Amino acid sequence: MTKILAVDDSASMRQMVSFTLQGAGYEVVEACDGQEALNKAKQSQVDLVLSDVNMPVMDGIALIKQLRTLPNYKFTPILMLTTESAADKKTEGKAAGATGWIVKPFNPDQLLNTIKKVLG
Amino acid sequence: MSIDLSQFHQVFFEESFEGLQLMESSLLDLDCDNVDSETINAIFRAAHSIKGSSSTFGFTAVAEFTHVLETLLDQVREGSRQLTAEIVDLLLQSVDCLRNLLTGLQAGQTPDATHSRELIAAFNRILAVKPVAQGAGTQSATQAGKIDQPAKMEAGEAQGVTRWQIRFVPDSNILRTGNEPLRMFRELAELGELQCVASVDRLPDLNQLNPEECHLGWDISLTTAAPRSKIEEIFEWVADESDISIEAVDAIVPLATPQPDAEPAQRVSPSATLPEPMPDKVAPVSVGKEKEKESAKAESTSIRVSIEKIDSLVNLVGELVITQSMLGQLGTEFDMSKLTRLQEGLAQLEHNTRELQENVMRIRMLPISFTFSRFPRMVRDLSRQLGKKIELKLSGEQTELDKTVLEKIGDPLVHLVRNALDHGLETPEQRRAAGKSETGTITLHAYHQGGNIMIEIRDDGRGLNRQKIRAKAISNNLIGENDPLSDEQIQDLIFRPGFSTAEKVTDVSGRGVGMDVVRRNINELNGSIEVRSEEGIGSTFTIRLPLTLAILDGQLIQVGDQVYIVPLVSIVESLQPKLALVNRVAGGCDVFRLRNEYIPIIHLAEIFGIRPRNDNLEKSLLVVVETGTAKVALVVDDLLGQQQVVIKSMETNYRKVEGVSGATILGDGTVSLILDITDLVQMAGVHQQHKNGLRLVSSRAAQG
């Protein structure tokens, strides 16, 4: 089963993302900040990471950098969940090794379409 | 697919309120001259988070507002804007405004945006930019060339089939960002006929080849009816680092398109991770199985419980099951030789049950910081309004309290803190004159004491003026001119109904709610409040609250053949009355002289219409109980044990019964009623007026 790591400090966003992905048949691992996400990613291999950018403890950009240093996550798709206003975050994220981004607000359909494309 | 987003609303509201709380407390911590970056970051994150989720869940009014907030906070965070007291004030107002907006939305109302518009205007004046266009708050297109709403672009494009010539030379590091060129080709193939030719010009020698890098470029021919924007969208994530050109070759091409059998070079996969090259077998996106759930309209109040609490419950239930199976086994083949084991087993069961009970109670427990956290803001605003310098100290914020108690203690606490600010603490001038530091201190302190929660509200202000209280009580006919009263008794007068010493009613504390209401509210929670005060030094109000409303420490009393329960917290003392000390006053009420006080006597048997065991008052016992307003003595036949009782509501199981606050089941399985002392006092008053004559007779009979 394809496993997706969903990282967001907002519980409602996490729930929404998880519910959508699980409904589409994905296995979802949740984390509420970058550090927790990093730990969970190390514990078991995930096929895709969806991460918010602004988070306490460790933000999304730092998470992406850390993940890319792990041999298992060199090529794993990592998508940032950003808001439109954070344009420079996209550049920063790309430089850190992000695959791409999904712009908030997004609806479940947009989320799934993007993920399906990335996972092929 | 349609997923009903409203199922996430409850969580959204909860986290947004938490976020606002955090914003507020962080804002109060901010020092404009020395901005702590972690604090401002936390504020920014909270606003950002609310913005992101509110826009996702379609609460545009909230999203628009937080967008403006976020813009300003971002500037402060980056250091490009100096934080001023004015900005902090505005931000605090925004927190209030957002709270109102969210409360309205949670209740299903269309929120009134007047206040938020005013605030947005104020922010925009500070930002010195033109106000954003209506509704553009969350979706303002700030990025030229990026396509986020492709649907809009289609109008400008030709509707016919076009052949596009695309050249795509990605950065050699493209794979390290998880971007896979094959994925883009697959997407392109979904748009129409696709032909890919890889160019190997840049490919290094095999011995120098780094398999993690991509040195290929592609010439792509795509025949599609899709507009250019669709193609651009596919390359969106890599557009910046790659060399991409997209050109329309033919406006309309014949159906004979290039044959795909020309050995597409895309088979030369630069990555070993994706072996299958066939682009056209990408499954169409279809997730139509989602059931449409009716949104639960009724908002149920929920409580967030930490995983540890749940885990410890699961553990305990496990232990309980083990004990149960052990006892079960013992029961099937029991003889007296196994008595010790049975007793051990029962002791174990008792242990398990008690622990389980405690842990279940803990689930309803929340730290008192939920209530305390509103005070820094309140004190800040009020001290400005009153022109006083006040420092607020909070301690014991992690002390946990039942959720219901916590919710209900909020108002009494607010009242006490307001009082302390308004009446308790002096103005800076007065304090200086009294030889005190100009800044007054209010301390809120919570702690555990013997199964109770204690909350102290302490101020170092002027203290209670006993002469004034006494004079006021005399003029209000609460006490007689020459009544000998101890200092404590005088101080206690402030809790009497209709008592207020404030010379003028102020905006702050003169709201017509007196200390009597505070005491009544606390009594309703089975708690108590008392005051200690020293003139010129300050006052301390101490509130004692039970840990929970579900369990009560009770004194079992016998009246006739009935067993009732009196909340232990309300009992002052129990004694055997001497008839010589019982007097009848005008109006038919019996009073008992206890030291210097006259205490009305309530005959429980009479109120509940049962036959007492002893007709002679001297053979009965008096239980002196305290209500919010007065002490009364209950006549009972006997005092039984004290025990913790689980409160069952009468209203949910039967109906409201006068004089009874609930019921419980005793160890022997009988139901026992828990007395509501406040109610009883009122009932007795009414009762006595009706049965005046009868009562005198029966009292005389008892005496004789």
Side-chain angles (χ1 to χ4, degrees):
Chain A
M1 202 192 226
T2 311
K3 201 190 269 185
I4 299 178
L5 176 59
V7 197
D8 202 309
D9 57 334
S10 153
S12 60
M13 291 299 291
R14 268 201 319 275
Q15 276 194 7
M16 190 272 239
V17 168
S18 291
F19 187 85
T20 306
L21 296 179
Q22 280 164 354
Y26 295 108
E27 185 184 343
V28 183
V29 183
E30 289 184 28
C32 62
D33 62 58
Q35 189 57 56
E36 190 186 346
L38 191 61
N39 295 343
K40 291 199 168 160
K42 284 177 184 168
Q43 273 167 25
S44 74
Q45 180 73 30
V46 302
D47 304 291
L48 184 138
V49 180
L50 265 180
S51 175
D52 186 27
V53 178
N54 269 292
M55 289 181 293
V57 190
M58 183 193 282
D59 72 6
I61 308 283
L63 169 67
I64 296 169
K65 283 185 188 155
Q66 291 284 326
L67 282 174
R68 287 293 181 224
T69 63
L70 303 175
N72 281 351
Y73 288 94
K74 253 183 190 168
F75 308 112
T76 308
I78 307 177
L79 298 181
M80 299 188 284
L81 303 174
T82 69
T83 48
E84 193 51 71
S85 58
D88 47 340
K89 285 288 172 198
K90 291 180 185 171
T91 327
E92 221 184 301
K94 283 293 302 192
T99 307
W101 52 82
I102 300 176
V103 177
K104 286 186 196 176
F106 54 82
N107 63 38
D109 291 329
Q110 289 165 329
L111 175 70
L112 278 180
N113 283 340
T114 311
I115 284 180
K116 296 225 154 166
K117 277 179 194 164
V118 174
L119 289 173
Chain B
M1 175 176 68
S2 59
I3 288 183
D4 180 13
L5 289 180
S6 69
Q7 60 184 308
F8 309 111
H9 287 181
Q10 182 60 28
V11 182
F12 162 75
F13 286 121
E14 276 174 27
E15 78 186 359
S16 299
F17 285 125
E18 272 172 35
L20 288 175
Q21 189 75 58
L22 178 91
M23 278 174 79
E24 186 171 63
S25 60
S26 305
L27 281 166
L28 292 170
D29 283 346
L30 271 183
D31 174 6
C32 290
D33 300 324
N34 190 7
V35 177
D36 176 53
S37 65
E38 202 21 66
T39 312
I40 197 84
N41 259 326
I43 300 171
F44 173 82
R45 263 201 311 271
H48 182 81
S49 211
I50 294 173
K51 178 188 135 178
S53 33
S54 60
S55 61
T56 301
F57 297 120
F59 299 120
T60 37
V62 177
E64 278 170 35
F65 188 26
T66 38
H67 176 73
V68 185
L69 271 183
E70 187 196 26
T71 313
L72 182 79
L73 285 165
D74 199 28
Q75 293 181 357
V76 175
R77 188 169 73 134
E78 315 240 281
S80 62
R81 182 174 296 278
Q82 169 68 36
L83 193 70
T84 63
E86 184 203 4
I87 293 182
V88 174
D89 266 353
L90 215 48
L91 289 171
L92 280 170
Q93 284 179 43
S94 311
V95 170
D96 292 341
C97 176
L98 279 170
R99 209 174 262 147
N100 287 338
L101 281 177
L102 287 166
T103 311
L105 287 165
Q106 193 176 20
Q109 300 156 351
T110 314
D112 175 16
T114 327
H115 189 204
S116 63
R117 277 193 221 295
E118 282 168 18
L119 286 167
I120 291 176
F123 278 118
N124 281 329
R125 275 197 295 279
I126 291 178
L127 289 165
V129 293
K130 279 188 190 168
V132 266
Q134 271 290 338
T138 55
Q139 306 198 340
S140 57
T142 51
Q143 288 184 300
K146 291 281 175 344
I147 309 99
D148 292 313
Q149 283 157 311
K152 282 186 192 162
M153 309 289 285
E154 284 175 51
E157 297 283 344
Q159 289 299 305
V161 176
T162 311
R163 186 155 73 87
W164 300 90
Q165 190 62 45
I166 304 162
R167 183 164 175 79
F168 174 46
V169 184
D171 183 82
S172 61
N173 278 323
I174 184 174
L175 301 172
R176 293 198 181 121
T177 63
N179 275 298
E180 173 62 74
L182 279 180
R183 168 181 67 77
M184 296 162 207
F185 302 151
R186 271 200 299 267
E187 281 183 56
L188 286 172
E190 275 180 27
L191 298 178
E193 285 301 335
L194 180 79
Q195 195 179 34
C196 267
V197 179
S199 82
V200 290
D201 309 349
R202 297 190 302 148
L203 208 60
D205 287 346
L206 193 59
N207 52 4
Q208 285 170 7
L209 186 78
N210 180 349
E212 294 182 1
E213 288 176 355
C214 173
H215 298 287
L216 294 172
W218 286 271
D219 284 307
I220 302 156
S221 164
L222 174 69
T223 308
T224 176
R228 172 189 283 267
S229 61
K230 280 278 178 204
I231 304 172
E232 285 177 334
E233 198 185 52
I234 291 169
F235 292 106
E236 187 194 356
W237 293 341
V238 295
D240 287 349
E241 311 86 78
S242 307
D243 195 356
I244 301 173
S245 67
I246 304 169
E247 278 163 37
V249 183
D250 309 305
I252 296 176
V253 292
L255 281 171
T257 46
Q259 296 301 304
D261 59 0
E263 185 53 41
Q266 72 208 37
R267 285 188 193 279
V268 186
S269 169
S271 149
T273 52
L274 280 169
E276 79 281 17
M278 287 312 291
D280 42 357
K281 67 173 185 189
V282 176
V285 181
S286 70
V287 188
K289 298 277 162 66
E290 230 44 68
K291 282 167 211 116
E292 231 186 291
K293 286 186 183 162
E294 275 301 299
S295 66
K297 284 284 182 292
E299 298 286 0
S300 59
T301 56
S302 61
I303 189 163
R304 282 215 224 167
V305 182
S306 71
I307 298 286
E308 292 99 89
K309 285 185 179 176
I310 303 279
D311 284 348
S312 80
L313 275 187
V314 174
N315 267 336
L316 281 170
V317 170
E319 282 182 38
L320 201 60
V321 169
I322 294 169
T323 311
Q324 186 265 331
S325 69
M326 191 260 273
L327 284 172
Q329 208 177 6
L330 204 60
T332 52
E333 44 197 50
F334 186 74
D335 58 60
M336 284 314 277
S337 68
K338 290 171 181 152
L339 187 63
T340 338
R341 277 183 57 204
L342 177 67
Q343 282 167 338
E344 279 168 12
L346 288 173
Q348 182 66 32
L349 186 65
E350 191 200 332
H351 178 74
N352 291 153
T353 316
R354 195 170 48 238
E355 235 180 298
L356 190 62
Q357 180 197 343
E358 277 167 16
N359 275 271
V360 170
M361 291 306 158
R362 273 180 59 209
I363 290 195
R364 288 186 55 88
M365 297 295 211
L366 290 172
I368 201 163
S369 56
F370 277 87
T371 300
F372 275 9
S373 57
R374 70 169 89 169
F375 291 112
R377 174 75 189 281
M378 195 183 103
V379 170
R380 177 185 184 273
D381 291 354
L382 284 182
S383 58
R384 281 192 178 187
Q385 200 180 325
L386 295 166
K388 294 180 179 177
K389 290 187 181 171
I390 294 157
E391 188 192 352
L392 177 71
K393 287 183 182 163
L394 301 175
S395 61
E397 293 143 285
Q398 288 313 309
T399 311
E400 288 195 330
L401 202 54
D402 183 279
K403 186 170 187 275
T404 313
V405 181
L406 199 62
E407 280 164 2
K408 293 195 170 153
I409 199 64
D411 286 345
L413 278 182
V414 166
H415 194 83
L416 289 169
V417 172
R418 275 174 184 275
N419 262 342
L421 275 160
D422 197 15
H423 307 310
L425 292 174
E426 313 91 329
T427 60
E429 298 76 47
Q430 288 168 338
R431 290 183 67 89
R432 221 179 311 126
K436 293 175 172 180
S437 80
E438 280 189 13
T439 308
T441 309
I442 291 182
T443 311
L444 288 176
H445 178 46
Y447 57 100
H448 282 271
Q449 196 183 64
N452 287 305
I453 299 288
M454 313 292 285
I455 307 170
E456 274 181 18
I457 301 98
R458 190 164 59 232
D459 69 67
D460 66 346
R462 52 170 76 94
L464 295 175
N465 184 331
R466 292 195 196 98
Q467 275 90 42
K468 231 168 158 182
I469 293 173
R470 199 189 166 93
K472 176 90 179 186
I474 291 168
S475 78
N476 281 8
N477 286 326
L478 290 176
I479 52 170
E481 194 125 0
N482 298 314
D483 283 358
L485 292 177
S486 67
D487 286 353
E488 285 72 35
Q489 284 170 323
I490 294 175
Q491 285 169 3
D492 212 55
L493 288 169
I494 61 170
F495 294 112
R496 293 286 190 88
F499 189 92
S500 172
T501 54
E503 270 129 40
K504 57 177 183 205
V505 173
T506 66
D507 182 33
V508 176
S509 59
R511 284 167 187 264
V513 184
M515 294 297 276
D516 57 319
V517 178
V518 171
R519 176 170 270 186
R520 196 164 67 231
N521 288 342
I522 291 170
N523 285 338
E524 274 166 16
L525 297 170
N526 290 324
S528 64
I529 177 167
E530 53 192 51
V531 58
R532 273 178 294 123
S533 177
E534 209 160 327
E535 237 174 304
I537 293 178
S539 312
T540 305
F541 288 86
T542 310
I543 299 173
R544 188 196 294 126
L545 291 169
L547 278 174
T548 170
L549 290 183
I551 288 190
L552 167 124
D553 280 317
Q555 166 73 54
L556 274 56
I557 56 168
Q558 178 102 44
V559 181
D561 55 355
Q562 295 288 317
V563 175
Y564 296 101
I565 290 159
V566 180
L568 208 54
V569 62
S570 56
I571 296 183
V572 183
E573 60 182 296
S574 303
L575 49 95
Q576 210 150 23
K578 288 203 175 66
L579 277 184
L581 298 174
V582 177
N583 295 311
R584 241 144 290 129
V585 294
C589 180
D590 288 348
V591 295
F592 173 76
R593 209 178 93 205
L594 177 65
R595 294 176 281 275
N596 289 325
E597 280 178 273
Y598 286 93
I599 298 169
I601 291 176
I602 293 180
H603 295 267
L604 285 179
E606 207 173 307
I607 284 179
F608 289 119
I610 43 178
R611 220 188 125 68
R613 269 190 203 168
N614 312 309
D615 280 337
N616 187 341
L617 194 62
E618 219 161 24
K619 284 185 189 152
S620 309
L621 292 172
L622 287 184
V623 179
V624 180
V625 292
E626 199 170 25
T627 73
T629 47
K631 280 181 192 165
V632 294
L634 307 175
V635 182
V636 306
D637 286 330
D638 201 3
L639 290 175
L640 307 173
Q642 294 177 358
Q643 70 175 66
Q644 283 205 327
V645 296
V646 178
I647 303 170
K648 305 276 179 199
S649 158
M650 294 290 281
E651 279 96 328
T652 36
N653 295 310
Y654 177 52
R655 62 179 170 80
K656 170 83 184 130
V657 178
E658 252 193 310
V660 172
S661 64
T664 194
I665 298 165
L666 298 176
D668 62 1
T670 56
V671 173
S672 175
L673 300 177
I674 302 164
L675 301 184
D676 182 334
I677 306 297
T678 320
D679 232 20
L680 274 180
V681 172
Q682 277 169 7
M683 279 173 73
V686 173
H687 201 71
Q688 279 159 18
Q689 276 166 7
H690 284 301
K691 297 179 64 179
N692 220 343
L694 194 75
R695 179 178 182 84
L696 281 170
V697 174
S698 66
S699 292
R700 265 194 204 119
Q703 211 171 3

